[in-house]
Amino acid sequence: MKITKFPNEFVNAIPVLKTIEKAGFEAYFVGGCVRDTLLGIPLHDVDITSSAYPAEIKEIFNRTVDTGIEHGTVMVLDHGEGYEVTTFRTESTYQDFRRPDHVTFVRSLDEDLKRRDLTINALAMDADGNVVDLFHGLDDLKNKIIRAVGNPHERYHEDALRMMRSIRFMSQLDFNLESETEKAIEDNAHLLEKIAVERIHVEWIKTLLGQRPQLGIQKFISTGLYQYCPDFADYKDGLIAMSKLDQLHLDSEIECWVLMGHMFSLKPQKTAKLMRDWKSSNDLINQVELAQTALECQSGLTDPHVLFETGKELTLAANHILKILNQSTVTDEAIKTAYEELPIKGNADIAVDGSALIKELGMKPGPQFGKALTAIKDQILDGKLANDHDQLLAFVRENFM
Ligand code: ATP
Ligand code: MG
């Protein structure tokens, strides 16, 4: 098999391969970039693998950076963009089900391809477009099959994260899981407990953001993997319900968590706890809490108070989830218009602030003070008061002093 039409990312990186070859070594594009080229979808990153050892790569090129030299990876900067070149390697004795105890550099491409997770990820391509396919990855690409390289039981036993990656690629590519591979995931699902939550998190969110998340979620449940993820043992029914949603196209991680919170019947604060258990950032947790609060608000997403508190983007995210649930009652346009019409879009827009109440009215910070500021904001949002300094002060003087 020969690839004749190269994506631009390959065209730009060919000089790196040629330079390595000229020095007497082998070099190939490998893994996800070859897979995605064959599928005709955009590449995320270009990985190059070579028979040259890291020290040899550093001699061949003028400008290199040691980005992961202990794993054999050197970044080559000679040809415009940086390209990561990784020496062919084998990984041995995974004693903890997650990281190889050590990697060994080898001169054989075959050895390197054998350590890769899935047949569709174990493809390599040389500078002329010739594809190396040791495990029938091309057939699996054509037949849309996720299959572990070699003995699936051993592969998942070596590195349990590969089980989540398998589920993730089903969803991203709309592929089916080969039956031996599926059986091996069922048998080894419990090993997922050994994997850092942060790494499971990345794969789970990629699963939800894929083009057919239902497929991935369904296998995530049926193989038992979900039980070994933080808190998910309690939410099997919600996960099943998610896998049955027709129009499940999520656009951001925020949307993923808002949907999970809803499907698991969690109040926003409980969703925040779930997210903390999944090691989410505080910033993300805060945004999800706002969007989920908006989603559950009875007054609807065009309510000025909801829009003010939630902001435009998070309100649109909440509306997208309502659409997925067939519960949306407004269009995105209506939300955008209502947002543009807000007299104030943030506290900084209010013509009176706390210091004005202190300086000009002689108020002292305290409960009354906070109530006054909230009342001003509500009056403006309800259109009962203009956002005018003098009028706002008069309102406070009358009602709060
Ligand atoms: P994407 O970049 O779209 O997430 P990818 O397949 O390129 O997908 P990467 O994580 O970038 O995934 O890894 C690059 C390649 O390294 C993979 O295609 C695969 O060959 C190999 N690989 C990555 N992670 C593993 C793993 N846990 N076990 C075995 N091989 C792996
Ligand atoms: Mg990649």
Side-chain angles (χ1 to χ4, degrees):
M1 157 88 191
K2 188 163 175 161
I3 297 178
T4 47
K5 201 167 172 300
F6 292 179
N8 279 338
E9 292 93 332
F10 278 179
V11 175
N12 298 338
I14 290 280
V16 178
L17 266 63
K18 293 271 189 207
T19 306
I20 298 174
E21 285 177 359
K22 234 182 261 155
F25 299 99
E26 293 175 46
Y28 302 84
F29 295 116
V30 70
C33 60
V34 179
R35 175 198 71 218
D36 291 342
T37 297
L38 287 158
L39 290 170
I41 59 180
L43 313 189
H44 299 153
D45 39 27
V46 169
D47 290 315
I48 297 170
T49 186
S50 171
S51 59
Y53 287 2
E56 291 164 337
I57 292 290
K58 290 168 73 168
E59 264 178 41
I60 297 171
F61 294 97
N62 295 321
R63 292 174 57 218
T64 61
V65 184
D66 294 355
T67 45
I69 196 129
E70 66 282 14
H71 307 114
T73 305
V74 173
M75 165 99 71
V76 172
L77 296 168
D78 290 32
H79 299 275
E81 217 179 304
Y83 292 102
E84 297 218 299
V85 179
T86 304
T87 303
F88 297 157
R89 62 183 207 208
T90 58
E91 296 168 352
S92 42
T93 53
Y94 296 75
Q95 287 185 0
D96 58 0
F97 314 104
R98 47 194 163 136
R99 301 246 190 235
D101 295 342
H102 57 266
V103 304
T104 310
F105 301 140
V106 291
R107 296 290 191 186
S108 141
L109 173 66
D110 292 12
E111 287 301 313
D112 182 276
L113 295 179
K114 276 187 210 161
R115 68 156 174 103
R116 292 176 184 270
D117 55 353
L118 305 173
T119 59
I120 59 166
N121 287 346
L123 297 164
M125 186 197 102
D126 70 14
D128 299 321
N130 298 303
V131 174
V132 181
D133 173 22
L134 300 183
F135 310 103
H136 304 291
L138 289 171
D139 286 341
D140 287 342
L141 266 189
K142 196 168 75 202
N143 299 321
K144 303 179 119 230
I145 290 173
I146 298 294
R147 185 196 312 264
V149 167
N151 178 330
H153 186 84
E154 284 172 15
R155 309 328 311 284
Y156 293 131
H157 206 264
E158 284 164 356
D159 177 359
L161 186 72
R162 290 174 183 159
M163 298 186 282
M164 286 302 293
R165 285 175 54 89
S166 303
I167 298 295
R168 181 254 280 202
F169 284 113
M170 288 184 74
S171 163
Q172 284 186 324
L173 303 175
D174 191 4
F175 277 29
N176 290 308
L177 196 56
E178 182 274 327
S179 61
E180 293 281 304
T181 302
E182 177 169 357
K183 174 81 173 51
I185 296 181
E186 284 167 10
D187 293 347
N188 290 287
H190 63 281
L191 295 179
L192 198 59
E193 275 180 340
K194 312 275 180 190
I195 300 293
V197 171
E198 289 86 344
R199 301 176 73 209
I200 300 174
H201 181 141
V202 170
E203 298 300 329
W204 174 239
I205 296 301
K206 284 185 180 178
T207 304
L208 295 184
L209 292 174
Q211 58 162 321
R212 275 292 295 281
Q214 295 95 332
L215 273 189
I217 301 170
Q218 203 202 326
K219 291 294 179 208
F220 179 67
I221 304 164
S222 66
T223 56
L225 279 173
Y226 77 99
Q227 292 171 286
Y228 305 100
C229 294
D231 306 336
F232 273 17
D234 296 338
Y235 304 130
K236 185 178 186 185
D237 291 346
L239 286 165
I240 292 175
M242 263 170 86
S243 75
K244 291 186 176 156
L245 290 169
D246 270 352
Q247 304 291 329
L248 188 52
H249 290 291
L250 296 161
D251 290 332
S252 66
E253 180 167 357
I254 292 173
E255 293 187 1
C256 294
W257 289 108
V258 173
L259 180 68
M260 283 187 268
H262 180 85
M263 300 306 283
F264 302 166
S265 304
L266 300 174
K267 294 264 169 269
Q269 275 186 355
K270 284 276 160 50
T271 306
K273 166 162 190 315
L274 174 68
M275 289 182 72
R276 274 194 296 278
D277 293 345
W278 277 75
K279 311 272 187 214
S280 306
S281 72
N282 286 334
D283 184 46
L284 188 71
I285 293 173
N286 291 339
Q287 295 190 66
V288 168
E289 220 172 335
L290 279 172
Q292 201 192 344
T293 305
L295 177 136
E296 282 169 9
C297 179
Q298 295 299 320
S299 55
L301 295 179
T302 50
D303 180 315
H305 299 272
V306 172
L307 271 170
F308 179 88
E309 298 301 336
T310 318
K312 185 168 73 177
E313 293 309 321
L314 292 177
T315 308
L316 289 170
N319 198 35
H320 189 199
I321 299 305
L322 287 176
K323 283 187 206 162
I324 289 170
L325 300 167
N326 272 325
Q327 291 174 16
S328 171
T329 53
V330 288
T331 62
D332 285 356
E333 273 321 303
I335 288 174
K336 288 179 195 165
T337 307
Y339 184 79
E340 289 318 313
E341 286 171 356
L342 285 183
I344 46 173
K345 297 192 167 55
N347 287 323
D349 295 340
I350 303 178
V352 156
D353 62 5
S355 73
L357 298 190
I358 296 168
K359 280 191 205 135
E360 298 183 46
L361 298 182
M363 281 182 92
K364 296 217 162 53
Q368 196 67 354
F369 187 85
K371 275 188 202 154
L373 286 172
T374 306
I376 292 175
K377 181 193 74 191
D378 288 340
Q379 291 284 318
I380 301 171
L381 286 172
D382 287 335
K384 292 180 181 155
L385 269 183
N387 186 21
D388 172 85
H389 187 83
D390 292 343
Q391 284 188 46
L392 294 176
L393 283 186
F395 170 80
V396 175
R397 206 178 284 120
E398 217 166 280
N399 295 282
F400 291 91
M401 297 187 69

